[in-house]
Amino acid sequence: QIQLVESGGGLVQAGGSLRLSCVASGRSYAMGWFRQAPGKEREFVIAINLSGSNTYRADSIVKGRFTISRDNAKNTMYLQMNNLEPDDTAIYYCAAHTKIYPISSWSVEGYWGQGTQVTVSS
């Protein structure tokens, strides 16, 4: 079992930055970020493997703006988001899973945090 707690969301102007954190308790897994915008389905954003040596991202979303990292000594994963756009407005969820692929398996087999709201104003 694993529990995930996100923090760091908030309101920011377009072009601004935010850093999200996710603290995990329990076993260590691959971790990732998903997001759900109002009226839309939850979508994959970016993930990182257990060791932190490899990252996987939705290029159409990330566009070189988001960076994922983890500090296993602190059981914490980070999402650095730069040059934010209004379309990035969503609830961002931290998730953990025993494997990266397929991404579709995270919804069924993964562990999830409660989410943190990110709002980007124009």
Side-chain angles (χ1 to χ4, degrees):
Q1 290 292 333
I2 182 172
Q3 291 185 328
L4 304 169
V5 179
E6 305 98 331
S7 62
L11 174 64
V12 64
Q13 288 188 332
S17 298
L18 282 174
R19 189 176 81 155
L20 306 183
S21 299
C22 175
V23 179
S25 62
R27 292 184 59 186
S28 298
Y29 292 90
M31 297 182 75
W33 293 95
F34 291 69
R35 72 183 188 183
Q36 187 168 18
K40 296 185 177 182
E41 293 187 354
R42 188 166 58 191
E43 60 185 351
F44 169 73
V45 178
I46 196 166
I48 188 166
N49 67 348
L50 177 58
S51 68
S53 61
N54 287 299
T55 63
Y56 311 82
R57 60 190 179 275
D59 288 331
S60 62
I61 294 174
V62 173
K63 294 183 285 188
R65 304 176 299 141
F66 296 177
T67 303
I68 191 172
S69 61
R70 66 190 297 165
D71 184 342
N72 287 339
K74 297 181 179 179
N75 294 325
T76 303
M77 174 183 64
Y78 305 98
L79 179 63
Q80 178 67 44
M81 302 187 293
N82 298 325
N83 195 21
L84 284 161
E85 304 169 352
D87 284 348
D88 294 316
T89 295
I91 299 173
Y92 283 71
Y93 294 92
C94 169
H97 194 9
T98 56
K99 57 186 179 182
I100 299 291
Y101 292 114
I103 296 297
S104 59
S105 68
W106 288 66
S107 295
V108 178
E109 302 169 5
Y111 299 91
W112 294 86
Q114 293 299 308
T116 185
Q117 177 71 48
V118 171
T119 303
V120 184
S121 63
S122 58

